[in-house]
Amino acid sequence: MELYFLGTNAGVPTIQRNVTSIALRLLEERRSMWLFDCGEGTQQEVLRSPLKLSRLEKIFITHLHGDHLFGLPGLLSSRAYQGGTAPLTVYGPPGLQQYIELSLGISQSRINYQLHIVEHTGGVLFDDGQFRVESALLDHRIDSYGYRIIEMDKPGKLNQELLERYGIKPGPVYGKLKRGESVEVEGGVILHPQDVLGSPKKGRIITILGDTRPCPNTVLLARDATVVVHEATFLHDLADTAYEYHHSTALQAAEAAKAAGASQLIMTHFSSRYKDQEQLQPLLEEARSLFPNSSLAEQHVLLPIADTGQ
């Protein structure tokens, strides 16, 4: 798993930063990519990245403000020209379907793949036994949602030394045991998965939040997360401004991560008043004063999400 930021600015693009879009690469897990928000210019940023639209499987829109949405029609259209033929599902708040259908219809854009649009108001959006995606409403000027991506626990390691005693070599039997199936070996002995498997490996949790003031659902969605992506539009000396515009400060993002018991905080959605990475350093220092494992999102920088090791 890897996070890749295609845009980290709030409101409007700048020379240094594009508006919001985040890719979650599931390379080993599904050979696919999920996208969270799609601000204007996202497809140009994809062209400058190692990402491929042909591998795009799902898009999750947090809310319908333009800096999170205006790049969507163009990206959906361009995907058809870049080898994207597999079905694509777009999730987002009510109104998303009307926006997509009007944009593509009026422009007479042709989509040669199955496009599914799922409007939601929170809850469990997806569960295939490998990943589950949950969503909950945040506190913004319009309905804005956060997403919690849960990787299911994986089977533990096989005890190869024990299996070799039974004359079992790597192959189909290993796969059956990993899938939780019992197998019969020489002598009529039945081996059960619990006999040869170690403790399950804890799955990772990635929380990606839309624009929001501090609210209980930020903590709920980020509970015990491996990584939390939280907006940090302002420094805390502008907390009143942040509240007025329904945003959060870097310190408030750190407070949410700490309260949730998260392992890592990545901040994004920075005000244009902070023009470059140097001017963003005070936000990082502010967050680290409370939550040391904080970092600033940077465009076109891959951030691997490590296994829990448990």
Side-chain angles (χ1 to χ4, degrees):
M1 270 193 213
E2 297 169 333
L3 283 171
Y4 192 96
F5 288 82
L6 294 160
T8 62
N9 211 58
V12 296
T14 67
I15 294 174
Q16 294 83 9
R17 301 190 297 265
N18 197 36
V19 285
T20 300
S21 185
I22 305 166
L24 175 63
R25 301 176 82 191
L26 306 168
L27 297 180
E28 294 183 6
E29 297 80 8
R30 324 172 59 92
R31 303 298 297 172
S32 67
M33 173 180 76
W34 294 358
L35 199 64
F36 293 81
D37 284 333
C38 190
E40 180 184 357
T42 292
Q43 64 172 314
Q44 284 93 341
E45 299 302 327
V46 169
L47 292 173
R48 300 184 183 100
S49 79
L51 308 177
K52 296 182 182 299
L53 290 183
S54 59
R55 289 191 174 173
L56 181 59
E57 182 184 36
K58 296 181 182 296
I59 303 175
F60 298 88
I61 301 297
T62 62
H63 64 293
L64 303 185
H65 275 156
D67 58 327
H68 297 254
L69 184 69
F70 283 164
L72 188 55
L75 182 139
L76 293 175
S77 179
S78 294
R79 181 177 184 264
Y81 293 97
Q82 296 183 25
T85 57
L88 173 65
T89 305
V90 185
Y91 302 82
L96 177 66
Q97 182 164 346
Q98 181 184 14
Y99 174 77
I100 292 174
E101 290 180 349
L102 280 174
S103 299
L104 297 180
I106 291 173
S107 62
Q108 297 187 29
S109 299
R110 296 183 178 181
I111 304 295
N112 63 349
Y113 53 85
Q114 292 183 14
L115 177 62
H116 306 286
I117 303 169
V118 178
E119 294 187 339
H120 70 84
T121 54
V124 177
L125 306 181
F126 173 77
D127 189 336
D128 68 351
Q130 185 181 26
F131 287 95
R132 183 169 73 248
V133 180
E134 303 172 352
S135 182
L137 184 65
L138 304 176
D139 183 0
H140 194 47
R141 287 194 294 117
I142 63 173
D143 285 355
S144 178
Y145 290 86
Y147 294 99
R148 177 180 173 91
I149 304 95
I150 303 165
E151 180 187 36
M152 302 306 178
D153 293 350
K154 300 176 182 178
K157 290 185 178 180
L158 286 167
N159 186 333
Q160 289 185 282
E161 183 179 343
L162 179 59
L163 289 169
E164 286 174 1
R165 290 183 204 161
Y166 287 103
I168 302 173
K169 297 180 179 180
V173 173
Y174 275 39
K176 287 183 178 181
L177 290 165
K178 279 271 192 179
R179 291 193 297 271
E181 301 175 24
S182 298
V183 297
E184 184 175 349
V185 298
E186 290 183 14
V189 176
I190 302 297
L191 278 183
H192 302 288
Q194 61 267 29
D195 299 330
V196 294
L197 283 173
S199 299
K201 181 185 291 186
K202 186 77 174 169
R204 291 161 286 186
I205 299 172
I206 300 93
T207 299
I208 298 177
L209 302 170
D211 292 3
T212 187
R213 289 170 174 168
C215 68
N217 276 348
T218 61
V219 177
L220 182 67
L221 288 167
R223 180 72 62 197
D224 298 325
T226 311
V227 177
V228 178
V229 179
H230 196 303
E231 69 133 292
T233 309
F234 301 105
L235 279 165
H236 202 66
D237 61 2
L238 292 172
D240 289 344
T241 302
Y243 185 85
E244 180 183 356
Y245 288 100
H246 292 78
H247 287 297
S248 296
T249 67
L251 183 61
Q252 289 167 341
E255 289 172 343
K258 182 176 181 179
S263 298
Q264 181 180 5
L265 169 66
I266 303 175
M267 295 177 290
T268 188
H269 198 268
F270 308 119
S271 168
S272 298
R273 70 182 61 213
Y274 312 114
K275 298 189 183 303
D276 52 34
Q277 287 300 115
E278 182 178 350
Q279 291 189 16
L280 287 173
Q281 288 307 302
L283 282 85
L284 181 60
E285 293 166 8
E286 183 173 275
R288 284 181 173 174
S289 70
L290 181 66
F291 191 81
N293 197 15
S294 299
S295 59
L296 300 171
E298 293 186 59
Q299 288 187 195
H300 300 294
V301 174
L302 275 172
L303 296 173
I305 302 172
D307 281 326
T308 61
Q310 300 176 0

